[in-house]
């Protein structure tokens, strides 16, 4: 029978049948879904209409993800598929499709943050170290410093000019506490925005703000049996 994308086999809006006035055409064909899985990269090239090439990703394990609030894009590993609005089966089989919520490795973003701001990100301050460290004067505290148990110490010693750049960048800058909690675990939630079965790539963006809260509620609801 084959997969066809024509509309001649469908009924009218009124329910009446359409009479086929011609046979199937080559340009109306469809192909099987790629159903890209999480694994070592494997991409097939498919010649399509006009001599163009589609890259059919069968397995992928990394992609370019953007951290919108910091305007930072890094190539990172995809660790797991945790949510898909269309079908739970796609989560069980770890299928990568557009719109899927995945867990990615936070290391590239953390390294960039430490280099750009000169501060540690997502590292919890130990209770012993916090008790032993004397309280810093208010004047010396940076805008990025926080009393929420998060270690905001400077990563390493740098030159005066680089330190001045770090101080300037820290002005009026803050990180979402929910995002910082994820960085503490080394994993960040992201959404796939590319089409792996068409482009052969699995790119996306880090979830933040209301969108992150929305998907966290959805995942929590599915775990508890509520949709």
């Amino acid at each position: 029978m084959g997969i066809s994308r024509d509309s001649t086999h469908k009924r009218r809006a009124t329910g009446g049948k359409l009479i086929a006035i011609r046979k199937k055409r080559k340009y109306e064909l469809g192909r099987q879904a790629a159903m890209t899985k999480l694994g070592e990269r494997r991409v097939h090239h498919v010649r399509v209409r006009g001599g163009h090439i589609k890259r059919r990703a069968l397995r992928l394990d990394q992609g370019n993800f953007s951290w919108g609030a910091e305007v930072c894009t890094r190539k990172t590993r995809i660790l797991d598929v945790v949510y898909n609005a269309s079908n739970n089966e796609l989560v069980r089989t770890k299928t990568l499709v557009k719109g899927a919520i995945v867990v990615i490795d936070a290391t590239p973003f953390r390294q960039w943050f430490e280099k750009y701001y000169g501060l540690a990100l997502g590292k919890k301050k130990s209770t012993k170290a916090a008790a032993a460290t004397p309280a810093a004067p208010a004047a010396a505290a940076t805008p990025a410093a926080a009393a929420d148990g998060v270690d905001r110490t400077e990563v390493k010693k740098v030159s005066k000019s680089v330190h001045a750049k770090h101080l300037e960048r820290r002005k009026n800058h803050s990180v979402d506490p929910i995002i910082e909690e994820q960085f503490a675990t080394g994993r960040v939630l992201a959404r796939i925005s590319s089409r792996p079965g068409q482009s052969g790539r699995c790119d996306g963006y880090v979830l933040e703000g209301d969108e992150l809260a929305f998907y966290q509620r959805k995942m929590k609801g599915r775990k508890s049996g509520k949709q």
Side-chain angles (χ1 to χ4, degrees):
M1 197 54 193
I3 302 173
S4 180
R5 300 182 66 250
D6 68 318
S7 60
T8 56
H9 66 282
K10 295 185 177 181
R11 288 177 176 261
R12 294 187 177 93
T14 58
K17 283 188 176 181
L18 280 174
I19 299 174
I21 59 173
R22 57 176 169 78
K23 293 186 177 181
K24 295 180 181 179
R25 295 293 187 261
K26 171 77 172 177
Y27 55 78
E28 293 173 343
L29 67 80
R31 297 182 180 87
Q32 288 184 336
M35 303 300 284
T36 309
K37 298 292 188 286
L38 186 60
E40 188 178 355
R41 186 178 186 273
R42 185 179 181 186
V43 178
H44 284 182
H45 288 196
V46 181
R47 184 196 181 278
V48 296
R49 184 173 168 86
H52 299 289
I53 297 294
K54 283 187 178 180
R55 290 161 181 83
R56 187 84 75 230
L58 303 181
R59 288 196 295 268
L60 289 173
D61 60 354
Q62 59 187 4
N64 295 324
F65 287 85
S66 174
W67 185 5
E70 298 293 341
V71 196
C72 170
T73 301
R74 288 294 180 271
K75 187 176 184 178
T76 184
R77 292 184 302 123
I78 303 170
L79 304 177
D80 197 8
V81 181
V82 293
Y83 181 78
N84 193 305
S86 62
N87 193 348
N88 276 339
E89 191 71 8
L90 299 179
V91 178
R92 187 186 68 81
T93 56
K94 301 188 187 304
T95 304
L96 302 174
V97 294
K98 182 176 179 178
I101 306 302
V102 296
V103 175
I104 61 174
D105 184 14
T107 304
F109 296 103
R110 179 179 54 78
Q111 291 173 341
W112 170 85
F113 187 93
E114 292 175 355
K115 184 178 180 181
Y116 190 76
Y117 292 104
L119 294 174
L121 177 65
K123 293 182 180 179
K124 292 294 182 181
K125 187 181 292 185
S126 63
T127 54
K128 292 182 180 179
T133 306
T142 62
D148 54 359
V150 178
D151 187 2
R152 291 292 178 80
T153 57
E154 296 194 357
V155 180
K156 60 181 180 180
K157 291 184 178 180
V158 293
S159 64
K160 290 183 179 179
S161 60
V162 174
H163 184 62
K165 286 182 180 180
H166 287 170
L167 293 178
E168 184 65 27
R169 289 167 181 167
R170 293 175 201 167
K171 289 181 180 179
N172 303 321
H173 175 266
S174 62
V175 180
D176 188 349
I178 302 177
I179 293 287
E180 194 151 12
E181 286 177 12
Q182 293 186 63
F183 273 99
T185 64
R187 298 180 168 209
V188 180
L189 287 174
R191 187 174 188 268
I192 298 175
S193 58
S194 67
R195 302 172 67 190
Q198 305 291 319
S199 64
R201 300 167 63 92
C202 190
D203 301 337
Y205 57 91
V206 175
L207 291 177
E208 301 176 272
D210 294 339
E211 191 175 15
L212 173 60
F214 171 79
Y215 282 112
Q216 284 181 330
R217 287 197 306 270
K218 286 290 184 180
M219 288 186 285
K220 188 177 180 180
R222 284 203 170 174
K223 286 182 180 178
S224 63
K226 297 178 181 179
Q227 295 296 329

